[in-house]
Amino acid sequence: MTRRTAPARVGVFGLLGSGNLGNDGSLEAVLGYLRTAHPRAVVDALCGGPGAVAARYGIRATRLHWYRGEYRTASRAGAVAGKGVGKLVDAVRTAAWVRRHDVVIVPGMGVLEATLPLRPWGFPYALFLLCASGRLLGTRVALVGVGAGPIGDPATRALVRWSARLAAYRSYRDTLSRDAMREMGVDTARDTVHPDLAFALPAPPPRPPGDAPGPVCVGVMAFHGGNDDRARAAEIHRRYLDGTTRFVRALAEEGREVRLLTGDGVDAPVVEAILAAVDSPLVTAAATASLADLMKETAAADVVVATRYHNLVCALKTGTPTLALSYAAKSDALMAQMGLGAYCHPAREVDADRLLDQFRAVERRAAELRRTLAERNRVAAEHLQRQFTALSTALFPASGATDAPVHTPQEAS
């Protein structure tokens, strides 16, 4: 009689359930993998929005930070003290949570980068606590399909570097990320690169071809520059908003239907500002609560012009010709990976006239670009199959790698 091993205790960790659709989509892809390949695994989360994660995904969830105002600017003495005490409490809370698991997975996300404003003692510190606890307590911590990039701030860079070094498993969503960690002094010889985890999610069918032009999706963002741009944040945002608004107005004046997309709750004011400035019935805002919702919108569009990374992923995954308003090298790398590297426009300097020219160039090559994306998506699916197989081998050796055949969530759907 064969003795059956106990179910693996798996934790997922990150700023999940906090309003960022890309983060939650990465979680959804990993949960799909676990439920397919390791259906007996017991999964729970330490995350930013435990209520949302528990309600949407049906797993137990614990709040990431003891201090509820962790990501608000602390100006009063009480708030400063609360944050300070929270750092000590979180060290104990994180270690206690890690101890209860065999494996902890950080699903995708740009956890090793600072392309957007970031303080070292916020999430970078939380990630360091996780990885250090895993190393001390013998729990395997896996950074799966994560993003990384050069970091200027010394404290943030040190925390990110040590987090990566202490993790038991690392894979990245592009070669730029692996190169960035190597330049920080992390040994990446055994680290692998695979497409973003969201490419494992199922996609709706594309819009059937027709004579009438279809909608144009424009994905917007509360963009204020990166971590090193704080002094110029207001000017960067003004230029981005003005250029994007002029582009949307020009499309509406040509009679094109425009759907405004977001990827995070903080983007709502940008949508409201564009709607107020353009004031056209042709321009509407899409209500999206998940990457699945975003993919429904992008699949129905003729062309997508988007800023947020996972808006781009959704557009490319659905095979829709796409133009990136690129705010970081990761967007350029993603577009090149999918065969659309020529169609990037800097988010810091949005030139509406040049953006319109690029948009028309994408439209002219739409049929060719759809064929290119179909092939690149096929390759991405094969790569992610290998990612999940490797993950099972690395993290679940006691179960003979898998409890069931490994398929991507898309294949299992």
Side-chain angles (χ1 to χ4, degrees):
M1 180 176 177
T2 302
R3 184 177 179 182
R4 200 174 192 190
T5 58
R9 300 166 299 171
V10 181
V12 290
F13 176 94
L15 293 176
L16 310 165
S18 301
N20 185 287
L21 303 187
N23 291 358
D24 291 354
S26 298
L27 169 62
E28 187 175 340
V30 165
L31 290 178
Y33 149 71
L34 290 171
R35 288 165 178 165
T36 300
H38 303 280
R40 297 177 62 232
V42 179
V43 184
D44 73 311
L46 185 63
C47 59
V53 167
R56 175 169 294 173
Y57 302 110
I59 62 175
R60 292 182 60 185
T62 303
R63 192 171 71 248
L64 179 59
H65 298 289
W66 173 79
Y67 182 64
R68 292 179 181 272
E70 177 61 40
Y71 293 104
R72 293 195 295 268
T73 301
S75 55
R76 298 180 182 177
V80 173
K83 283 195 173 188
V85 171
K87 303 306 174 195
L88 300 176
V89 175
D90 284 344
V92 176
R93 292 175 70 251
T94 301
W97 182 80
V98 168
R99 185 190 293 273
R100 298 196 295 269
H101 298 85
D102 302 305
V103 172
V104 174
I105 296 175
V106 180
M109 306 177 285
V111 297
L112 303 178
E113 65 182 43
T115 53
L116 297 176
L118 182 71
R119 299 293 188 188
W121 305 113
F123 186 78
Y125 175 71
L127 183 66
F128 171 75
L129 290 180
L130 171 77
C131 296
S133 297
R135 179 62 66 93
L136 290 170
L137 299 171
T139 298
R140 294 183 293 276
V141 174
L143 309 180
V144 181
V146 298
I151 298 174
D153 178 72
T156 304
R157 186 171 61 251
L159 288 167
V160 164
R161 180 173 62 246
W162 277 105
S163 296
R165 285 176 172 174
L166 292 169
Y169 176 93
R170 295 181 297 269
S171 66
Y172 307 97
R173 63 190 179 193
D174 52 46
T175 55
L176 289 175
S177 296
R178 184 171 61 183
D179 292 346
M181 297 315 299
R182 183 185 298 121
E183 290 170 7
M184 285 189 210
V186 176
D187 182 0
T188 62
R190 299 175 63 186
D191 298 354
T192 56
V193 174
H194 301 279
D196 188 86
L197 289 171
F199 279 102
L201 297 174
R207 176 179 179 268
D211 295 332
V216 178
C217 284
V218 178
V220 301
M221 179 179 178
F223 178 60
H224 296 79
N227 209 44
D228 299 328
D229 295 320
R230 293 178 183 273
R232 303 185 298 122
E235 175 63 17
I236 289 170
H237 181 67
R238 184 191 64 77
R239 289 183 180 179
Y240 169 78
L241 181 58
D242 287 353
T244 306
T245 300
R246 288 197 299 272
F247 174 69
V248 171
R249 182 182 292 113
L251 291 176
E253 288 174 350
E254 292 178 1
R256 298 299 296 269
E257 178 187 353
V258 179
R259 295 281 283 168
L260 299 178
L261 308 179
T262 61
D264 194 298
V266 300
D267 301 332
V270 179
V271 170
E272 293 168 3
I274 293 174
L275 290 174
V278 177
D279 191 23
S280 168
L282 292 172
V283 182
T284 57
T288 53
S290 66
L291 291 195
D293 291 342
L294 279 173
M295 286 193 208
K296 289 178 184 177
E297 294 287 342
T298 61
D302 275 358
V303 176
V304 176
V305 181
T307 311
R308 278 200 181 271
Y309 183 84
H310 280 96
N311 277 195
L312 293 173
V313 169
C314 288
L316 297 167
K317 171 67 179 176
T318 56
T320 304
T322 302
L323 175 57
L325 284 173
S326 177
Y327 68 88
K330 63 183 179 182
S331 300
D332 297 337
L334 172 64
M335 294 291 284
Q337 172 190 324
M338 298 302 288
L340 275 70
Y343 301 109
C344 296
H345 188 99
R348 282 175 170 77
E349 300 286 346
V350 179
D351 181 326
D353 292 333
R354 188 161 71 87
L355 188 59
L356 275 168
D357 289 341
Q358 290 178 292
F359 168 79
R360 290 177 181 127
V362 169
E363 280 204 308
R364 286 193 297 270
R365 294 186 59 201
E368 177 189 348
L369 296 179
R370 286 184 182 274
R371 290 191 294 271
T372 297
L373 288 173
E375 173 60 19
R376 298 300 174 100
N377 275 304
R378 183 190 64 78
V379 172
E382 292 175 355
H383 274 279
L384 283 168
Q385 175 71 42
R386 293 196 288 271
Q387 162 73 102
F388 290 130
T389 299
L391 196 58
S392 289
T393 302
L395 300 185
F396 303 96
S399 64
T402 64
D403 302 321
V406 180
H407 301 287
T408 64
Q410 176 180 348
E411 292 171 324
S413 64

